[in-house]
């Protein structure tokens, strides 16, 4: 078996590996090095994370299980520094040497940081990866003034995200118009007006010459002498190919790593693909041409006859801060072009097509992009447009079904993944697909930016005809392994008495018989929630942090956070923590936001020994469970306190610790409305008032900041415990797995939740099921200490933890 090594774990490279596995699943022993400590994720969705619309788990394209299932050795958080071309091996920054027969360089690109004084100050970042997002989110919690340099797509998406995070945002742009490479002046002015209405401020035609401040940025100075204040500076002015490892190894590099039409570099058996590659003096940053390159390279490496890569004509389908845009080809008129234009300023719709000799050469669409795929086909195929209707208007009588029928099979539907209408139709017919999720899983259509999903849905409806079930097609399934929704899964488990993860997948005919990292933990949770007494938890089906009972960090080490009920501790416990930190050379000891002491940077093999030496319960800082109950000092010490917040906090934490919930749950108890424990933004918050407690629910202090809603006012601590137990159990029984309480209450409706919990008999029944469930939990750290089999399987130095399983 040949050895195939890939440098880089990004979208273009991993798509190439996917194509290779399709063509020749047994031909290569594959090793991948990824500089980031994550599996392959969708970089297009970083702006969604910044804007609070999604989380990291939801943008993972290929989870760790996928690498395992395909026998791929993945080294995350490890970069290749050198290629020994003579010995045909790569050497990583950790000294690891791996031989290759074929080598792919897919090292991607880096943010372009302006080479100006002060660019290395604290608070200056690019916008390229998860770490950049985390830095911006963290900064927004401490600072309020951000400046984004760059009025292109990336800069505007960053600015929108920072606005969502509560920052005041200025956008600095060198040119007189925003997105001047994609939009003409009219479309650009419409976009600017919309973004200004959303709260962005623009500093146009400004050239940044210096970053001001001492250690941390305090502002920017421009070439005209003017300045602007800033606590955070995001440079989003472009990317540059990451060519360092190729250049240092003697491979020919120009702007990017130079490749021919088969993605071959200047060295035999060494290839380059993606943003690091330069083909015919072009370096591409959009995902569609990179996936085209990946297909060509896969054919070349597998030895199958394939067409050469001859470059790409790119069409850019964008959504900037909620505004739909499309751009392709030429933007500006010259003496040889003519324009066809629709401009509806009132509705914010602008469409312009540039033609030359009856052929479309450029497209700009703003606010309404329904015509984009059809017009782009006409542009790429150089169709004669004489006598054709260029724009479909609402009064033209052309319905969606007619449009789909008229669409040729070779028309591109998903530009990101190169999926045509014909490929989608064939998959629907031959694979028996009936839902949007199935089509996406089978063809990759809609798998990247997702903007083509309405069109894919229309094709599905047209292809199935009378057999199409609109509700079923649009329903949200557990994952791509099945069409079954959460409600259907719970009903089937109850009706058929299913009792294990494997049995669920077999009986309900999962497409992937092993499941995936999305459905296995969900099935495990629902089984435990339904079968309160008899179900034995499937530890291998849990998410990696819960399986290890420790939070994995970006460098592969773990954190240990012992329980401190209500944030209260003792001198004896503090002494134990200090002694353990010294004994195991813990790199970081930190007070957490949940009023506990965390030990960070712990080796996996040291975990059981640390837990034994600490002799304290797990704080479950890693789990989908009750994390902490944060308290103020309360009436015992505070002159404003009206209630004993510490006592209630400790009672709540001791009762509900270890409880499995659909997502993490945080609580806070404040002894008065001054809210020192931040109870108003917790999943459940308790605020002391004269004569009782106010109970607030569905708060969220994360990126998607949400104040809690008042659920009920009660008089006694007994009523607090009763209401909390009923509320948590109702959440456990009706929420989707990985649905926070804030999203759950918004979906269910606060009035509905109040109505359910207002009934005394219902509360009693919910609390009985809660108490029954709580009886089954044991202390996981003690179990690991006492069970050698668990230690060998999960905590041995030689155990490799992958996704939701260990090997």
């Amino acid at each position: 078996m040949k050895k195939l090594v890939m440098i880089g774990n990004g979208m273009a490279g991993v798509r190439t590996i996917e194509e290779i596995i399709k063509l020749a699943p047994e031909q290569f022993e594959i090793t991948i090095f990824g500089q980031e400590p994550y599996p392959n994720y969708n970089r297009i969705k970083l702006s969604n994370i910044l804007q609070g619309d999604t989380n990291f788990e939801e943008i993972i394209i290929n989870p760790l299980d996928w690498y395992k299932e395909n026998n791929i050795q993945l080294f995350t958080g490890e970069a290749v520094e050198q290629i020994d071309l003579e010995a045909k091996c790569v050497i990583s920054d950790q000294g690891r040497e791996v031989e290759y027969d074929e080598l792919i360089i897919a090292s991607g690109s880096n943010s372009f940081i302006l080479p100006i004084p002060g660019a290395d100050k604290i608070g200056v970042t690019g916008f390229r990866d998860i770490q950049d997002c985390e830095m911006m989110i963290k900064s927004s919690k401490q600072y309020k003034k951000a400046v984004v340099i760059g009025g292109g797509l990336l800069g505007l998406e960053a600015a929108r995200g920072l606005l969502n995070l509560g920052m005041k945002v200025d956008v600095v742009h060198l040119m007189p118009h925003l997105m001047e490479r994609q939009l003409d002046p009219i479309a650009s002015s419409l976009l600017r007006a919309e973004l200004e209405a959303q709260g962005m401020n623009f500093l146009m035609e400004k050239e940044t010459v210096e970053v001001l401040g001492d250690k941390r940025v305090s502002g920017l100075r421009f070439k005209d002498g003017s300045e602007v204040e800033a606590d955070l500076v995001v440079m989003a002015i472009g990317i540059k190919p990451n060519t360092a490892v190729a250049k240092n190894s003697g491979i020919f590099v120009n702007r990017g790593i130079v490749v021919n039409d088969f993605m071959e570099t200047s060295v035999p058996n060494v290839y380059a693909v993606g943003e690091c590659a330069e083909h015919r003096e072009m370096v591409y940053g959009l995902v569609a041409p990179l996936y085209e390159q990946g297909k060509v390279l896969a054919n070349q490496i597998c030895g199958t006859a394939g067409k050469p890569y001859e470059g790409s004509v790119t069409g850019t389908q964008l959504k900037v801060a909620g505004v739909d845009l499309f751009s392709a080809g030429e933007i500006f008129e010259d003496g040889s072009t003519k324009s066809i234009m629709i401009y509806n300023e009132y509705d914010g719709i602008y469409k312009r097509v540039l033609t030359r000799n009856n052929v479309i050469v450029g497209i700009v669409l703003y606010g309404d992009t329904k015509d984009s795929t059809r017009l782009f086909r006409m542009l790429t195929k150089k169709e004669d447009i004489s006598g054709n209707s260029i724009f479909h208007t609402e009064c033209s009588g052309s319905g969606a079904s007619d449009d789909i029928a008229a669409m040729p099979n070779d028309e591109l539907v998903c530009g990101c993944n190169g999926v045509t209408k014909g490929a989608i139709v064939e998959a629907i017919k031959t694979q028996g697909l009936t839902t949007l999720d199935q089509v996406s899983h089978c063809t990759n259509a809609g798998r990247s930016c997702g903007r083509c999903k309405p069109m894919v849905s229309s094709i599905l409806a047209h292809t199935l005809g009378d057999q199409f079930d609109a509700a079923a097609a649009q329903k949200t399934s557990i994952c791509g392994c099945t069409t079954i929704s959460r409600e259907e899964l719970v009903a089937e488990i109850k009706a058929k008495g299913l009792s294990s993860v494997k049995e669920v997948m077999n009986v309900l005919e999962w497409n992937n018989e092993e499941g995936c990292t999305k459905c296995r933990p969900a099935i495990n949770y629902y089984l435990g929630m339904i079968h309160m007494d008899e179900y034995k938890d499937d530890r291998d089906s849990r998410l990696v942090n819960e399986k290890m009972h420790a939070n994995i960090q970006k460098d592969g080490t773990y954190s240990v956070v012992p329980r401190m009920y209500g944030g209260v501790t003792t001198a004896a416990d503090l002494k134990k923590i200090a002694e353990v930190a010294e004994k195991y050379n813990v790199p970081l000891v930190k007070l957490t936001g949940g009023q506990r002491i965390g030990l960070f940077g712990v080796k996996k093999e040291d975990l059981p020994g640390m837990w034994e030496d600490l002799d304290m319960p797990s704080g479950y800082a890693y789990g989908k469970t009750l994390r902490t109950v944060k308290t103020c000092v309360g009436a015992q010490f505070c002159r404003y306190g009206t209630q004993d917040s510490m006592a209630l906090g400790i009672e709540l934490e001791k009762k509900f610790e270890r409880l499995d919930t659909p997502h993490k749950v945080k609580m806070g108890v404040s002894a008065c409305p001054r809210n020192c424990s931040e109870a108003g933004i917790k999943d459940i918050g308790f605020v002391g008032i004269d004569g009782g407690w106010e109970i607030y629910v569905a708060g969220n202090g994360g990126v998607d900041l949400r104040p809690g809603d008042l659920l009920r006012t009660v008089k006694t601590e007994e009523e607090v415990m009763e209401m909390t137990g009923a509320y948590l159990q109702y959440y456990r029984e009706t929420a989707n797995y990985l649905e926070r309480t804030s999203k759950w209450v918004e979906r269910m409706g606060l009035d509905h939740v109040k109505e359910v919990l207002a009934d005394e008999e219902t509360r009693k029944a919910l609390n009985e099921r809660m108490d029954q469930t709580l009886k089954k939990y044991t202390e996981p750290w003690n179990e690991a200490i006492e069970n050698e089999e668990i230690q060998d399987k999960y905590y041995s130095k030689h155990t490799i933890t992958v996704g939701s399983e260990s090997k």
Side-chain angles (χ1 to χ4, degrees):
M1 187 177 289
K2 282 186 174 183
K3 295 178 179 178
L4 171 62
V5 173
M6 187 166 75
I7 302 171
N9 189 39
M11 295 174 71
V14 177
R15 174 54 64 87
T16 305
I17 297 297
E18 288 179 345
E19 297 290 342
I20 290 170
I21 290 170
K22 285 180 189 175
L23 292 169
E26 306 296 332
Q27 190 170 339
F28 296 102
E29 178 184 314
I30 302 172
T31 301
I32 298 177
F33 287 87
Q35 188 168 0
E36 293 185 78
Y38 313 109
N40 176 37
Y41 65 87
N42 189 344
R43 206 175 294 273
I44 298 171
K45 299 283 189 180
L46 284 176
S47 57
N48 298 75
I49 287 184
L50 190 63
Q51 292 167 22
D53 296 330
T54 189
N55 57 45
F56 177 66
E57 287 77 15
E58 291 173 347
I59 72 167
I60 292 174
I61 300 175
N62 298 87
L64 291 172
D65 274 2
W66 176 83
Y67 295 85
K68 182 189 171 209
E69 289 160 6
N70 290 286
N71 298 312
I72 297 170
Q73 176 70 67
L74 172 66
F75 297 111
T76 58
E78 191 167 344
V80 171
E81 288 189 329
Q82 185 181 346
I83 305 168
D84 187 332
L85 297 174
E86 204 166 301
K88 294 183 77 172
C89 79
V90 299
I91 305 162
S92 80
D93 56 4
Q94 296 184 22
R96 192 188 311 274
E97 296 186 16
V98 178
E99 295 181 350
Y100 68 84
D101 296 303
E102 310 284 351
L103 175 65
I104 300 172
I105 305 175
S107 48
S109 61
N110 299 318
S111 291
F112 181 75
I113 302 297
L114 287 172
I116 57 176
D120 58 348
K121 292 186 188 300
I122 298 170
V124 178
T125 182
F127 183 25
R128 189 68 192 143
D129 55 29
I130 290 293
Q131 190 173 354
D132 293 334
C133 282
E134 290 175 343
M135 186 268 202
M136 285 187 262
I137 292 168
K138 183 178 178 182
S139 295
S140 72
K141 295 176 180 178
Q142 297 176 263
Y143 305 99
K144 291 303 173 188
K145 182 63 192 301
V147 174
V148 176
I149 303 176
L153 171 64
L154 204 60
L156 297 178
E157 290 286 16
R160 180 62 262 174
L162 293 169
L163 282 176
N164 286 12
L165 292 170
M167 300 192 81
K168 182 180 177 183
V169 183
D170 289 332
V171 177
V172 175
H173 195 47
L174 184 61
M175 306 302 288
H177 302 292
L178 299 175
M179 295 185 65
E180 71 283 349
R181 294 182 181 178
Q182 290 89 18
L183 303 180
D184 62 19
I186 295 177
S188 178
S189 65
L190 286 169
L191 179 62
R192 177 174 174 177
E194 170 61 29
L195 298 180
E196 284 176 335
Q198 294 182 19
M200 291 184 206
N201 181 54
F202 293 96
L203 303 174
M204 306 298 288
E205 298 183 80
K206 294 282 188 180
E207 182 178 350
T208 308
V209 295
E210 185 179 358
V211 178
L212 306 176
D214 295 325
K215 290 185 177 180
R216 184 177 182 90
V217 60
S218 65
L220 298 177
R221 179 175 292 130
F222 303 117
K223 191 174 183 179
D224 61 10
S226 61
E227 297 179 359
V228 64
E229 293 181 357
D231 303 310
L232 172 70
V233 171
V234 180
M235 294 195 185
I237 51 177
I239 56 175
K240 57 180 181 180
N242 183 5
T243 61
V245 69
K247 193 172 185 178
N248 294 340
S249 304
I251 298 168
F252 181 55
V253 172
N254 185 33
R255 183 182 165 206
I257 304 168
V258 176
V259 296
N260 62 16
D261 289 356
F262 293 96
M263 312 313 295
E264 298 168 316
T265 69
S266 60
V267 175
N269 305 108
V270 179
Y271 312 84
V273 68
E275 292 174 338
C276 65
E278 178 180 335
H279 173 263
R280 298 189 186 182
E281 301 184 348
M282 283 291 295
V283 176
Y284 295 94
L286 297 173
V287 70
L290 308 186
Y291 285 172
E292 289 180 43
Q293 293 176 0
K295 285 187 177 182
V296 171
L297 176 52
N299 279 297
Q300 181 67 11
I301 282 183
C302 293
T304 55
K307 295 180 180 178
Y309 178 66
E310 298 178 343
S312 301
V313 178
T314 57
T316 310
Q317 182 86 42
L318 310 170
K319 196 177 189 75
V320 181
V323 179
D324 287 314
L325 308 169
F326 180 82
S327 172
E330 299 178 27
I331 303 300
F332 301 103
E333 292 189 53
D334 61 29
S336 65
T337 58
K338 293 181 180 179
S339 285
I340 304 170
M341 186 170 68
I342 292 176
Y343 183 17
N344 180 345
E345 188 175 8
Y346 180 81
D347 291 327
I349 293 174
Y350 173 70
K351 304 180 182 184
R352 191 174 70 131
V353 169
L354 276 181
T355 68
R356 183 182 292 115
N357 300 324
N358 293 324
V359 171
I360 295 175
V361 294
I363 306 164
V364 175
L365 306 176
Y366 176 96
D368 177 3
T369 60
K370 291 194 296 289
D371 296 315
S372 59
T373 55
R374 184 174 53 84
L375 293 175
F376 186 60
R377 181 200 74 230
M378 297 167 81
L379 181 151
T380 53
K381 293 188 174 297
K382 300 180 180 179
E383 294 181 10
D384 189 324
I385 63 169
S386 303
N388 286 343
S389 174
I390 296 299
F391 298 121
H392 283 171
T393 61
E394 294 299 323
C395 60
S396 66
S398 176
S401 180
D402 294 333
D403 289 344
I404 298 300
M407 182 188 295
N409 281 333
D410 62 351
E411 182 160 322
L412 204 59
V413 174
C414 177
C416 294
N417 296 285
V419 185
T420 63
K421 174 198 170 185
I424 294 171
V425 171
E426 183 181 6
I428 292 168
K429 290 179 175 178
T430 59
Q431 304 295 320
L433 310 181
T434 58
T435 72
L436 186 59
D437 277 353
Q438 286 179 329
V439 174
S440 182
H441 188 74
C442 183
T443 67
N444 288 324
R447 197 174 163 203
S448 296
C449 77
R451 293 189 188 100
C452 63
K453 284 186 175 180
M455 177 68 75
V456 177
S457 183
S458 296
I459 293 172
L460 181 66
H462 179 76
T463 305
L464 294 178
D466 293 340
Q467 296 177 319
F468 177 69
D469 183 337
Q474 299 301 324
K475 77 178 180 183
T476 303
S477 60
I478 296 293
C479 69
C481 300
T482 179
T483 62
I484 293 175
S485 68
R486 181 257 180 213
E487 290 74 18
E488 291 169 334
L489 175 60
V490 169
E492 290 280 15
I493 291 172
K494 290 178 178 178
K496 295 178 178 174
L498 306 179
S499 59
S500 73
V501 174
K502 271 287 186 188
E503 187 179 24
V504 167
M505 293 189 294
N506 288 336
V507 172
L508 302 183
E509 298 180 342
W510 243 237
N511 298 327
N512 176 6
E513 63 181 19
E514 294 298 322
C516 69
T517 52
K518 286 186 177 180
C519 63
R520 287 180 66 99
I523 297 169
N524 185 55
Y525 169 76
Y526 295 133
L527 286 167
M529 182 267 294
I530 294 165
H531 303 305
M532 290 171 282
D533 296 326
E534 62 270 23
Y535 180 65
K536 184 180 179 184
D537 181 70
D538 184 351
R539 185 166 179 167
D540 283 337
S541 288
R542 283 189 174 266
L543 298 169
V544 62
N545 290 337
E546 294 179 338
K547 177 171 53 185
M548 300 299 292
H549 287 289
N551 241 340
I552 191 168
Q553 306 298 302
K554 64 189 295 182
D555 61 355
T557 62
Y558 291 82
S559 64
V560 171
V561 184
R563 181 73 74 182
M564 290 182 178
Y565 297 102
V568 177
T569 187
T570 65
D573 281 347
L574 288 174
K575 187 176 180 180
K576 280 194 290 188
I577 291 171
E579 289 171 346
V580 164
E582 280 192 341
K583 178 178 178 180
Y584 292 93
N585 297 313
V586 174
L588 176 66
V589 180
K590 187 184 183 305
L591 291 172
T592 71
Q595 296 180 329
R596 303 188 291 196
I597 295 176
L599 307 174
F600 295 85
V602 180
K603 296 175 183 176
K604 177 175 60 179
E605 59 269 23
D606 287 341
L607 289 172
M610 284 188 69
W611 295 337
E612 186 171 13
D613 290 343
L614 282 169
D615 191 27
M616 296 171 69
S618 167
Y620 274 81
Y622 47 81
K624 304 295 181 281
T625 179
L626 173 64
R627 294 285 180 90
T628 64
V629 181
K630 192 172 183 178
T631 67
C632 66
V633 296
Q636 283 183 289
F637 294 96
C638 178
R639 57 200 174 102
Y640 299 111
T642 62
Q643 301 288 349
D644 188 349
S645 54
M646 287 191 291
L648 178 59
I650 291 169
E651 185 180 357
L652 285 162
E653 195 161 352
K654 283 191 172 181
K655 173 162 186 177
F656 297 112
E657 66 177 330
R658 308 189 188 109
L659 175 70
D660 284 320
T661 48
H663 212 302
K664 61 185 175 184
V665 171
K666 297 180 181 180
M667 298 185 191
V669 186
S670 291
C672 75
R674 284 174 175 80
N675 233 326
C676 292
S677 68
E678 301 165 346
I681 53 170
K682 301 298 185 188
D683 292 275
I684 312 179
F686 310 88
V687 177
I689 56 175
D690 287 333
W693 296 91
E694 291 178 336
I695 303 176
Y696 291 85
V697 296
N700 192 323
V703 173
D704 191 10
L705 186 65
R706 185 186 193 278
D709 298 314
L710 180 62
L711 178 69
R712 192 163 182 170
T713 301
V714 299
K715 294 180 179 180
T716 66
E717 291 187 3
E718 289 75 18
E719 289 177 285
V720 166
M721 300 303 291
E722 180 202 20
M723 186 59 63
T724 303
Y727 176 82
L728 276 175
Q729 185 63 18
Y730 191 54
Y731 166 57
R732 294 184 72 244
E733 294 178 0
T734 57
N736 297 317
Y737 187 66
L738 298 184
E739 183 177 35
R740 289 294 300 269
T741 59
S742 55
K743 299 294 185 185
W744 172 71
V745 165
E746 288 176 355
R747 178 171 63 83
M748 301 290 286
L750 179 64
D751 289 341
H752 167 77
V753 175
K754 284 182 175 180
E755 184 180 343
V756 169
L757 300 184
D759 182 73
E760 185 176 351
E761 288 302 314
T762 300
R763 290 199 308 273
K764 182 180 178 182
L766 287 167
N767 272 296
E768 285 174 353
R769 294 197 292 276
M770 169 63 74
D771 292 340
Q772 187 179 352
T773 297
L774 288 170
K775 289 176 184 176
K776 72 178 182 181
Y777 294 110
T778 57
E779 170 51 48
W781 287 358
N782 282 343
E783 186 181 16
I785 293 165
E786 296 166 2
N787 190 318
E788 288 187 10
E789 186 180 340
I790 288 177
Q791 290 184 35
D792 290 342
K793 183 173 183 180
Y794 298 105
Y795 302 108
S796 165
K797 190 173 184 178
H798 304 292
T799 300
I800 301 172
T801 304
V802 182
S804 60
E805 295 186 15
S806 293
K807 60 179 181 179

